[in-house]
Amino acid sequence: MRATGPGSADQAGRIAHAAERAGLRLVRFMWCGNDGTVRAKASAASGLEHRIVSGIGLTVAMQAMNSLDQLQPVEGMGPVGEIRLVPDPETFTLLPFVPATGAMVVDMFDLDGRPAGECPRSFLRRMQERLRARGGVLHAAFENEFTLATDSDDGPQPVDRSLCFSTIGLNASAHYTDELLAALEQMDIVVEQHYAELGHGQQELSTAPAPALRAADQQVYVREAIRGVATSMGYVASLAPKPWPEAAGNGCHIHFSLWDGSGGNRFYDPGASDGLSSEARAFVAGVLEHLPALAALTAPSYNSYRRLVPSYWAGAYTCWGYDNREAPLRIPSRSAGREEATTNVELKTADATCNPYIALGGLIAAGLDGLERGLEPPPPVEVDPATLEDAQREAWGVRRLPETQRDALDSLESDEVLMEAMGDRLRRSYLAVRRSEWEAYSSEDEAFEQRGHFFKY
Ligand code: GLU
Ligand code: MG
């Protein structure tokens, strides 16, 4: 019926041919939920062309579902009614870790052809447009940490018990890593670095920055590849923020910078002593001001708050600093000779249980608020903020970030900027879904929480 999706009929034909040439039997139409899980409905190769144009139907209730598959009561999102999942042909990829299968990421549309209010990708598009009206494009890169394990009757066990950056850890997972990198190569995703991280079985994989929407699409695919390759080799890979209670957390730091239309990095000012432009400072100030609320979008799960504790290099206090790994906003030192290209800010208050579209949309809304109000950040913090006296922290405006998912959601609900940005249907469904996860996990034991996150993210 409709043709308001991102793809034209022409593109649909081209994708259908490409799928046929690659011998695909199924093409997944994928989306990410308010619960941060990735889900899909697949089209058979036959009929793909018309499904790309008209989409696949989905119950209007789906974005009211939490990560325990418990449907939440959200007005207008019950058992009656449908939305259309319309794939973006630009995101077409093979999924090399499963047989004869490809994928595209979808936008959600109402039956009358308008973007559905709960559509996370449309939210990010809207925020991109707001930023573009100021001449800027946010570039972002997600830096995933994850745990490689084998499952057993005693629960998942890490594939190594090695040390931080240890080559023993690299060797233990080398065959897996090679398969993963080969898959990402076939998916046109550029890997920058990989290493064994501090935790047992823990690894880190960083990918190249891209404009926000593309970066979020890639994050969905990188998560799929990390877990999909593991499954195909008999492992379990988990991006849960705290895979085991005492282990190092799995962060998914978001590196970001603001670019203009002619290839200039607006965060970079060669004349400033720290190389940071006044726009970078204002953007950082905006993110810092909204951080307790933004955390509910970027580190959004019950398990996320096991990770965001002092002295685990995840950033537990609102502050920023140069190369300070206990600051949730870190300004990484630049590469000599590539100063402009490498000027960026790292948000550590983020993990891979976030919906990457909602996380980046929220990040833009927070940064834009800083730009629009011309905010100036407080002085940078040069020490681990946990080591400061309370009075010192208070004097510097350094506050503890929310200590639970519930506190973060309370901050989000009272943050007018983020609530306005999300719009009625997205904010209602998001708050309902995430609050219900708090209810479910806080009334059960820690083992239930661990399993609930380890095997779903
Ligand atoms: N694993 C740490 C986290 O939870 C990050 C360690 C680092 O890469 O600095 O964010
Ligand atoms: Mg790391």
Side-chain angles (χ1 to χ4, degrees), residues 193-208:
Q193 290 188 43
H194 168 267
Y195 38 85
E197 256 280 4
L198 176 63
H200 292 168
Q202 193 183 33
Q203 312 198 9
E204 177 166 332
L205 184 85
S206 53
T207 47

Side-chain angles (χ1 to χ4, degrees), residues 5 8 249 269 357 372 398 432 442:
S8 63
D269 177 357
Y357 305 96
E372 278 162 4
V398 174
S442 62

Side-chain angles (χ1 to χ4, degrees), residues 145 197 202 204 248-251 253 307 312-314 325 348:
E145 292 175 334
E197 256 280 4
Q202 193 183 33
E204 177 166 332
N250 285 323
H253 307 163
R307 169 180 165 256
Y312 275 84
W313 293 26
R325 285 188 162 77
K348 293 174 81 84

Side-chain angles (χ1 to χ4, degrees), residues 413-429:
E413 195 165 13
S414 52
D415 188 304
E416 286 173 16
V417 169
L418 293 182
M419 289 286 90
E420 182 280 329
M422 291 173 82
D424 176 57
R425 218 166 149 98
L426 180 59
R427 72 174 166 248
R428 279 192 295 118
S429 55

